[in-house]
Amino acid sequence: MNKTIIVSNRLPVDLKYIEDKLIAKSSTGGLATGMKSVHSEGNGIWVGWSGMAEEDMNENQKLEVDRALANEKCVQVPLTNADIDNYYYGFSNTALWPLFHYFQAYTEFELDHWKSYVEVNQKFADVVLQQVNDGDTVWVHDYQLLLLPQMLREKNPTLTIGFFLHIPYPSYELFRTCPWRDELLHGMLGADLVGFHTYGYARHFISSVSRVKGIEVNFNEISYDNRIIKVDSFPMGIDYDRYHNAALEHKKRPEESKSELMKSIDFHNKSNDGSKLILSIDRMDYTKGIPNRVKSFEYFLNKYPEYKGKVRLVMLAVPSRENVAQYQLLKRETDELVGRINGDLSTISWTPIWYFYRSLPFDELIDLYVASDVAMVTPVRDGMNLVAKEYIATRTNENGVLILSEMAGAAKEMHEALIVNPNNFDQIADSIKEALEMPAEEQKTRLEALQKRISRYDVERWAGEFLKSLKAAKDVVPVQVAQKLTPLKVSEIADHYKLATKKLFLLDYDGTLAGFKNNPSDAIPTQELYDLLDKINEDETTEIAIISGRDRKTLEGWFGHKNYTLVTDHGAWLRKVGAEWGMLDQMKSSWKENIRPVIESFTDSTPGSLIEEKEYSLAWHYRKVDADMAALRTMELKHVLKSLLINNALSVLDGNKVLEVKNSNVNKGRAATRLTNETEYDFIFAIGDDWTDEFMFEELPESAYTVKVGNVKTVASYFINYSTEVLDLLRDITKVQRQ
Ligand code: ADQ
């Protein structure tokens, strides 16, 4: 039976010596909980770092660690202190973490860190590959392992690989600054499914892929390396029942078993009638907006002084990445800020901020959640933020208000919270006031809606949905995936060509026989092309047909003097060898008068675009237009055109950086059929790069060789990567020597 392997930087276990025996205790973090059923099913395992550096263990201890981990179905990736410094604290946390959270000024790109990142990803790959069997599923987690999916795919293509990013995915403008952006995307695209917390992050990823790699993306499917990769959003949930039930238990707890923290809170509540607690919990991280939160609380107290002495901010920060300089600075800044505000505002009976810099056991965390009237979750950037969801889960008394930053992924699904911009102190101050004064009925209504959603989309459901989509992504057999044209296949085609007695080449022009130029009129045929085609044409049993979207005048100018069949205007006109031009269908062109001004207005307002007028069509070229602007403008133009074309027998062709309006009943497929119906060929070879060539591929008989230029979705049987390979390919088939 196939198994599932989970891979994350850290294993979900804490190693502890109990009476001289090393014990691995499974930790209860969100991810570990979500993965529980996946991990415990069948022979599933978890691969990651144990938390202990290799140098710090002797051989015996290593074995002991392996054994303790094996009991928890975990396998360690041995890492040295240097690995941890360079891969984890280095590239992961001083390059990727700040970059992906829009902290560009904190981002350091160090070559040594990068090299270590590649090496450590390879170490992870080596361990995983030792554990897998063909057909297994591997689920890779987070930004420390962006290269892993591809490393696994290269060694074992039978694996089903999922990747989930727990942090935001930044806009292309940020991502492009990374010197290793190509490698990172290549790494992630080794997966069958790439998941993010929100649709926004998925959109940013798709935009990076299409702009950095220049490859085709079709809604949420990416065609890459002859595979389809799915991209989707899966908002992570929490173990709702665990938090909810713990909160219910909390109420039953007798006085003597209460924690010191809880006793202090009770004391505060008793001694200040009507006073309220505001909660803040995070890892000490600059993305969490801790200094801003403290400052906005001070701002609130000064804006609404009637709350002085009545409201307290309980702020809990868990020590995190203390080796990284920015984290040390943040700690110092927070300490000083809290010290100053408490110094400025405290009275004998009231301290505005209670500040704890430590990790708390689960029970005490619950104490805090339960005791707080308001939770302030105001990160400046956060992939999801689980604290917001945990707070909601512990509200068992139908009261409590959540103030949530719009910069947290959680804000996308927790609309009933008070949503704030974490940099807008005025808005936050007003939201704190609104939260403190919110009528009980309104609190209840908002909470109920939030609880309903969060309890339904809990962490188990999240893991289930991801794995379901992963399975579906792998099961999707694309309608037909074109195969790369190998030298072996080419020689097979050449053999067929040699034996055949009636042969036809259907050759698209732009992007196939000629590369693209910024201005279409510059893409004139080269002498090399003329020589080759003439040479092929010398064979009397071979017919060459140039089948293009270009107009009659242009193609006649270029090839009119040759003995080739010419098909122009996407199949509107046909000139057989030695015959006159004829129209495949009767067409009108009067519509151009109405459509031209519309396209012209787009040309005027879109720098870099130009309009090409053909006899029976109008083309709007946008090859030189900035990619973002082009995406927007083509969408608008398509929309406008479609509304105008309803009553005309016209359609809009979405070509390679060109939108073209033409008569609907014309396409290259009809023209190709006409040619192949008239003569019985025993060898047909068609090649093209454009969307319009798909009609031709589709209509040709199955025995035809159809080749797409570019590795994108196609109905052709084969593909080659670049138009620069086309002439050599024709030479290889026809055995015509280079002149
Ligand atoms: P984190 O940045 O760690 O996670 P978050 O999602 O808020 O952020 O999770 C923090 C967890 O730590 C919560 O479960 C919380 O209860 C716990 N915690 C916080 N303070 C604590 C304390 N003092 N003592 C004990 N426990 C404490 C990353 C991303 C997030 C994303 C998660 C999951 O940065 O955006 O939501 O992964 O994908």
Side-chain angles (χ1 to χ4, degrees), residues 204-216:
H204 282 319
F205 173 69
I206 286 175
S207 145
S208 283
V209 169
S210 72
R211 302 177 91 180
V212 172
K213 294 258 168 217
I215 54 180
E216 190 182 304

Side-chain angles (χ1 to χ4, degrees), residues 384-401:
M384 170 54 70
N385 195 297
L386 301 179
V387 170
K389 295 186 172 180
E390 290 167 6
Y391 176 69
I392 295 300
T394 57
R395 307 313 300 168
T396 51
N397 278 349
E398 300 180 336
N399 62 4
V401 183

Side-chain angles (χ1 to χ4, degrees), residues 28-31 97 101 142 164-168 197 201 236 238 243 281-283 285 287-288 316-319 321 356-362 365 368-369 377 381-388 390 409 462:
T28 44
L31 187 59
W97 178 271
H101 285 88
D142 228 358
F164 188 82
L165 187 73
H166 288 261
I167 64 175
H197 282 304
Y201 306 151
M236 187 173 170
I238 58 164
Y243 284 85
I281 295 187
D282 337 67
R283 270 187 313 102
D285 195 297
T287 61
K288 304 289 182 184
L316 183 67
V318 193
R321 303 173 199 164
F356 305 91
Y357 180 63
R358 69 180 83 133
S359 184
L360 277 193
F362 182 70
L365 203 65
L368 273 182
Y369 277 138
V377 179
R381 269 308 150 173
D382 212 338
M384 170 54 70
N385 195 297
L386 301 179
V387 170
E390 290 167 6
W462 165 79

